[in-house]
Amino acid sequence: MKSNLLVRLGRAAAVCALLSQGSIARADTPVLSPPRLSRFVDAVDPRPEGPVERASVELELDIDASGNVIDARVLRSASEALDAAAMTAAKSFVFEPATRDGTPVPARIRYEYVFAARAPAAPPPPEAPVPVKPAAVSGVVRDRDSGAPIANADVVVTTDAGGSYRTKTDASGAFRIDGVEPGPAHVVASAEGHVPQRLDETLDPGTLTEATLRLETTPDPDAFEATARVEAPAREVTKRSLDRDEMTKVAGTRGDPLRAVELMPGVGRPAMGGMPILRGANGFDTQVFLEGAPVPLLYHFGGLTSFVHSRVLDTVDMYPSNFSVRYGRKLGGVIEARLRDPRTDGLHGIAEASLLDTSLLVETPIGDKLSVLAAARRSNIDAVLNSAQNSVDLGITAAPVYWDYQSVVAFKPTDRDRIRLLAYGSSDSFRVVFKNPNGGDPAVRGAFGGTSVFHRVQLGYRHRFRGGSEQNTELTYGRSDENGEFGQIGRVKFAIDTLQARSEWVGVVSPALRVTAGLDFLGNHFGGSYSGIPVPPEEGGVPTAISTQRQIEIRANQWALTPGAYVEAGIRPVAPLLISPGVRADYNDMIKEGAIDPRLSARYDITESTTIKAGVGRFSQSPDERHVATPIGNPDLKMSHALHASAGVEQKITEAFSASLEGFGKWIDGAVTATPEGRPPYFVNAQEGRIFGGEALLRMKPRGRFFGFVSYTLMRSERRDDGQPWRLFDRDQTHILGGTGVYRLGRGWEIGASVRYTSGTPYTPVTSSTYDATADVYSPRAGRSMSARNPPFSRLDLRIQKTWTFAQWSLAAYLDVQNALNAPNREGFSYSYDYRERQGARGLPILPILGLRGEL
């Protein structure tokens, strides 16, 4: 049975890298061309006669400057016999050699050798056979950036039944192939100097399927290495995604992808590095997911870095509102991060050290189907601050420390199955000793500190069916430990055991219908004790003397179970229109209440470059367990609900440059708020909220030397307490401006800058105070709620990096300067004992971070 050359060329995706000629092989703008196969040798199929399934062997071929294969290695095995047959045939291949600036050079490529399936002998035909009409495929191949047609491009159509058809495009970039077997098929287009693209189609008998394939130019001018990737159409109204080039190069983040989210449209600035504020919502109303499982935090101490190593992340998606029914239990927005699989082409490692932290990553394949990755990081802040403390009397003793780790084990027994085992965790600890309360609240003295640690283990299984359907199941167990001491105020020691399970089925019923359904279970067991003052309200509070507040003690040993289920459809009544109706059901056994939330979104492609979109949906959120637990909360609290609505337009100016404009609104009902003067039952569902605004985004994707984006949000966020007029929400930020840009200078040099400006957040001013003789403290008297604003926040971050690339490894040195202009951004106030004087609490000062990173 002959193997299919075109399948192998398409599936290989033309991933290759030119071998360097010296210890450092760099040019400013080399012209690179990959090798092209000129003589193919068919392998002898060693499998016995009769029906067999399709099989493939992934090879790594070394090709000399004459085009001959000088060495071959198996990267992914099919069997010992098939490996040997593929190796024997591949060593006889002859290529047109790769060239650099027109000069032939050696190259190394990946090549997938496919042994076609053999079906069982066909049964005798019926007396009156019904002929099956063949299908046809036509289309055009264009350059993604310029839109110009690509002549003489290779187009390969392969079918799941084993058929293979090949042609080339004409001068106008057009092609047509007739007589194709109906059923699932794969269309692959490739051309010199471009990254191949693959489209999966289902061909109906007797019909013509049209396809447009847009090929990217080779992205990296220093090495010919790329992978084709076809993105599925967005189903949410608003989905902001960052690809890997953008994620790791944004100034002010030290290459941290989750920090780069802060510059996207609709993302407000939290105080002191808390959870991002998505479209004016409370930070508590936003959920962060890692591989589909919720995690308790996003950033380490002070918000300087996230809890995941930047080079382990694959994608980061942000949904500021109107998100899919796949996500629930939150009113605000969703941030989802996904980890990549370990590399399978050999041993790789990354070691990095900076003034902020030190990290190490190692990954390697183990055999043909198993690969592993491990990463760990530990802060250096404590060493730096302790050195400063020894030389300057700061009046406090401070030693913040954080660490985190991630590990991935990926096993792929077949091309359609993947089993992954993930383990990750994070820890933050700090300790501050106030030597002198400086005449303030006498309760604020002594040792303040704590440790927050969490660990997660996840087992996941994915199976992809023929035709595009897919099934995913993940089971996650985690534990979080919170321990803290707050001077004379109180103590906390809590453990939370978390069990999360999700199973999702994606069915491609037809090209016009796609159905997603899933079960989503989350259970948290709370155990531990707390002594101290009650939980403060989430927002709208005013400074209160700690000495005058009641002291409480609680112990907990309770499960909070929240099962959920969802179903969503993607319907295309006509090719340009995608309608996505869905519904989600959630239940919380702690408050004995459930919710059913319908949602609907739609996208319509007016042209190939212009898309309009809109969506509306209901969202429900259970109250924080701390607000429910007695004696500090109200066990009769109910769910809060929100209505999201948004509409907008997306415009492709070029394939790399795009713009979008969107308006949005959120209406919140039954939000939890504290009772006046903290009277029982302490918390009630008595607050409404409304948020409305608009966003604009201009974005240049990484296609050449420059990429970046600039975003602007105009927004107003308000709340209304029971019986009171509307007021500003204390996370309201009228103007939000963010932007970043990165420019590759060549010869390993790269520079970047990021800027951020937001309106100051509202706060309730203290107008006077009264003296409490019993407690011997002053109590503040508040003015009109949220009637004052902090000054605007502004920040400029700069970054420069130099990379040296050697034959087997690279070394990068970088300087990342956060708050380069040393703007004194105010995060709040500290008051004197009688509230007559106050001092602004300054945010992050200028912070230059110098680091080195080596990569193998």
Side-chain angles (χ1 to χ4, degrees):
M1 179 68 67
K2 289 193 71 174
S3 301
N4 193 304
L5 166 63
L6 302 178
V7 173
R8 293 188 292 276
L9 288 175
R11 293 294 295 266
V15 182
C16 64
L18 297 180
L19 299 179
S20 57
Q21 298 297 306
S23 62
I24 301 179
R26 285 287 178 186
D28 211 4
T29 54
V31 178
L32 306 174
S33 296
R36 300 173 69 91
L37 186 62
S38 61
R39 188 182 76 182
F40 169 72
V41 176
D42 199 12
V44 177
D45 194 332
R47 297 174 294 182
E49 295 293 329
V52 292
E53 295 184 352
R54 175 184 179 276
S56 65
V57 179
E58 186 175 355
L59 303 172
E60 186 178 75
L61 306 181
D62 288 345
I63 304 166
D64 64 18
S66 300
N68 297 314
V69 178
I70 59 175
D71 196 10
R73 292 167 294 279
V74 174
L75 297 181
R76 190 186 70 244
S77 173
S79 70
E80 184 175 345
L82 290 175
D83 294 350
M87 290 266 287
T88 300
K91 289 180 179 179
S92 299
F93 288 177
V94 177
F95 289 79
E96 296 176 13
T99 62
R100 180 191 295 270
D101 293 330
T103 303
V105 294
R108 176 176 294 168
I109 68 170
R110 291 187 181 187
Y111 190 94
E112 185 179 18
Y113 202 109
V114 178
F115 294 86
R118 293 199 298 264
E127 293 183 2
V130 179
V132 178
K133 294 182 179 181
V137 181
S138 70
V140 64
V141 179
R142 297 183 180 275
D143 181 86
R144 179 176 289 276
D145 293 327
S146 66
I150 301 177
N152 204 38
D154 289 316
V155 179
V156 180
V157 177
T158 59
T159 66
D160 283 0
S164 175
Y165 313 85
R166 177 175 183 171
T167 189
K168 287 184 175 289
T169 58
D170 59 21
S172 63
F175 68 91
R176 178 174 177 133
I177 300 177
D178 294 300
V180 182
E181 299 170 88
H186 317 288
V187 184
V188 177
S190 58
E192 185 174 348
H194 292 77
V195 178
Q197 185 188 13
R198 165 177 162 167
L199 296 178
D200 295 328
E201 301 284 351
T202 299
L203 307 182
D204 296 325
T207 62
L208 172 65
T209 299
E210 297 182 349
T212 299
L213 298 99
R214 298 180 182 274
L215 308 188
E216 298 179 7
T217 55
T218 304
D220 187 350
D222 296 319
F224 192 89
E225 182 174 9
T227 301
R229 180 174 182 176
V230 181
E231 295 184 358
R235 282 180 152 69
E236 288 79 7
V237 180
T238 306
K239 174 184 176 181
R240 314 287 189 195
S241 300
L242 296 172
D243 62 31
R244 197 171 301 168
D245 271 348
E246 293 172 298
M247 288 193 301
T248 59
K249 298 180 182 298
V250 173
T253 67
R254 288 192 320 111
D256 190 330
L258 291 170
R259 287 288 312 281
V261 168
E262 299 173 1
L263 297 170
M264 300 300 285
V267 182
R269 186 190 65 84
M272 300 302 294
M275 191 71 74
I277 300 169
L278 303 187
R279 286 186 174 171
N282 197 329
F284 176 72
D285 297 344
T286 293
Q287 182 64 66
V288 178
F289 291 91
L290 182 63
E291 288 294 337
V295 292
L297 58 81
L298 181 60
Y299 299 126
H300 282 299
F301 176 82
L304 292 176
T305 189
S306 68
F307 73 97
V308 184
H309 193 292
S310 62
R311 300 307 177 94
V312 182
L313 284 167
D314 184 36
T315 59
V316 176
D317 297 325
M318 183 193 72
Y319 309 92
S321 67
N322 257 328
F323 41 87
S324 164
V325 294
R326 296 184 64 249
Y327 309 102
R329 307 187 183 98
K330 290 296 181 179
L331 298 181
V334 167
I335 298 173
E336 178 162 33
R338 294 198 173 275
L339 305 183
R340 64 178 177 85
D341 284 343
R343 297 172 65 176
T344 59
D345 58 342
L347 175 66
H348 295 275
I350 302 175
E352 183 171 355
S354 72
L355 297 178
L356 190 62
D357 54 39
T358 300
S359 64
L360 180 65
L361 182 151
V362 178
E363 56 187 321
T364 185
I366 302 177
D368 299 327
K369 300 179 180 181
L370 181 68
S371 56
V372 297
L373 176 153
R377 176 171 54 181
R378 202 266 191 195
S379 66
N380 300 326
I381 304 176
D382 53 330
V384 175
L385 288 184
N386 286 340
S387 297
Q389 175 69 30
N390 293 332
S391 58
V392 179
D393 185 8
L394 301 178
I396 62 172
T397 298
V401 175
Y402 66 79
W403 52 258
D404 57 60
Y405 67 92
Q406 303 86 40
S407 62
V408 182
V409 179
F411 176 60
K412 298 180 180 179
T414 71
D415 291 341
R416 299 182 180 273
D417 295 277
R418 184 190 70 179
I419 300 172
R420 287 210 308 180
L421 179 64
L422 309 179
Y424 54 92
S426 171
S427 172
D428 286 270
S429 63
F430 73 97
R431 180 178 176 84
V432 178
V433 178
F434 288 90
K435 299 179 179 179
N436 183 357
N438 294 323
D441 194 322
V444 184
R445 68 174 71 213
F448 281 68
T451 300
S452 175
V453 183
F454 79 87
H455 303 276
R456 294 286 189 273
V457 177
Q458 181 184 93
L459 180 63
Y461 170 71
R462 182 192 69 197
H463 178 74
R464 289 175 173 165
F465 300 90
R466 294 183 183 274
S469 298
E470 187 172 304
Q471 193 272 330
N472 283 278
T473 300
E474 291 102 17
L475 180 63
T476 306
Y477 168 75
R479 182 179 176 89
S480 303
D481 290 285
E482 304 285 341
N483 295 284
E485 55 177 335
F486 314 107
Q488 301 178 16
I489 301 173
R491 302 285 188 274
V492 62
K493 185 176 182 180
F494 256 91
I496 303 174
D497 291 285
T498 298
L499 184 62
Q500 190 267 346
R502 178 189 290 266
S503 188
E504 180 177 277
W505 299 265
V506 180
V508 180
V509 181
S510 73
L513 177 61
R514 177 188 178 104
V515 178
T516 301
L519 299 175
D520 178 14
F521 173 83
L522 178 64
N524 288 310
H525 178 267
F526 301 87
S529 62
Y530 171 79
S531 63
I533 62 175
V535 179
E538 289 293 335
E539 66 91 27
V542 295
T544 304
I546 295 175
S547 303
T548 63
Q549 298 188 48
R550 63 190 178 98
Q551 296 289 309
I552 60 171
E553 289 195 14
I554 61 170
R555 294 185 178 276
N557 185 15
Q558 182 177 2
W559 276 98
L561 305 178
T562 54
Y566 57 90
V567 61
E568 182 178 56
I571 306 170
R572 285 195 183 273
V574 292
L577 176 63
L578 174 64
I579 304 173
S580 299
V583 63
R584 181 182 177 95
D586 284 294
Y587 181 78
N588 187 314
D589 82 321
M590 193 172 183
I591 60 175
K592 309 301 181 185
E593 185 184 11
I596 296 179
D597 297 333
R599 301 171 197 174
L600 175 67
S601 65
R603 300 173 62 87
Y604 183 75
D605 298 327
I606 300 175
T607 68
E608 287 189 359
S609 302
T610 306
T611 299
I612 57 175
K613 56 186 181 179
V616 63
R618 184 176 189 258
F619 300 80
S620 300
Q621 178 173 311
S622 299
D624 187 336
E625 290 82 0
R626 299 172 300 169
H627 296 158
V628 177
T630 56
I632 61 173
N634 179 5
D636 296 324
L637 287 178
K638 301 299 181 182
M639 289 186 179
S640 304
H641 305 283
L643 177 69
H644 293 189
S646 58
V649 60
E650 298 174 354
Q651 178 67 47
K652 284 185 178 180
I653 302 171
T654 68
E655 287 300 326
F657 187 42
S658 63
S660 65
L661 186 66
E662 186 168 341
F664 60 87
K666 297 180 182 179
W667 294 266
I668 304 171
D669 180 57
V672 175
T673 185
T675 57
E677 301 178 3
R679 295 189 298 266
Y682 309 120
F683 297 98
V684 291
N685 296 98
Q687 191 179 80
E688 296 178 84
R690 63 185 184 189
I691 306 164
F692 45 90
E695 300 170 352
L697 174 67
L698 291 174
R699 184 173 184 178
M700 177 68 75
K701 290 188 176 182
R703 293 290 187 270
R705 291 185 179 272
F706 174 80
F707 66 86
F709 57 84
V710 59
S711 66
Y712 171 71
T713 304
L714 177 65
M715 180 175 55
R716 187 174 180 88
S717 181
E718 298 179 329
R719 291 292 173 98
R720 180 168 64 185
D721 299 306
D722 192 21
Q724 300 296 318
W726 286 102
R727 59 170 173 81
L728 289 175
F729 185 48
D730 70 355
R731 275 71 163 175
D732 175 72
Q733 295 168 45
T734 307
H735 303 283
I736 303 174
L737 176 66
T740 187
V742 177
Y743 189 77
R744 297 166 177 167
L745 299 171
R747 298 188 180 275
W749 285 99
E750 186 175 277
I751 58 175
S754 299
V755 64
R756 195 175 193 195
Y757 172 90
T758 67
S759 300
T761 52
Y763 68 93
T764 301
V766 174
T767 58
S768 60
S769 63
T770 57
Y771 178 67
D772 185 343
T774 302
D776 191 28
V777 295
Y778 285 82
S779 296
R781 306 181 82 175
R784 186 164 58 90
S785 180
M786 300 297 137
S787 59
R789 273 192 185 271
N790 286 301
F793 172 93
S794 63
R795 181 167 137 177
L796 172 67
D797 301 326
L798 301 174
R799 176 179 177 272
I800 184 170
Q801 177 174 299
K802 167 63 176 175
T803 303
W804 296 269
T805 301
F806 305 94
Q808 300 295 330
W809 67 290
S810 66
L811 176 67
Y814 62 86
L815 175 63
D816 191 289
V817 183
Q818 302 183 33
N819 195 12
L821 300 181
N822 200 27
N825 296 302
R826 197 171 68 201
E827 301 281 4
F829 297 101
S830 59
Y831 291 85
S832 63
Y833 71 98
D834 57 1
Y835 294 93
R836 293 183 179 180
E837 296 180 0
R838 67 181 187 180
Q839 183 176 1
R842 177 179 175 142
L844 180 75
I846 183 172
L847 181 62
I849 300 174
L850 183 66
L852 287 174
R853 180 177 61 252
E855 298 188 40
L856 176 64

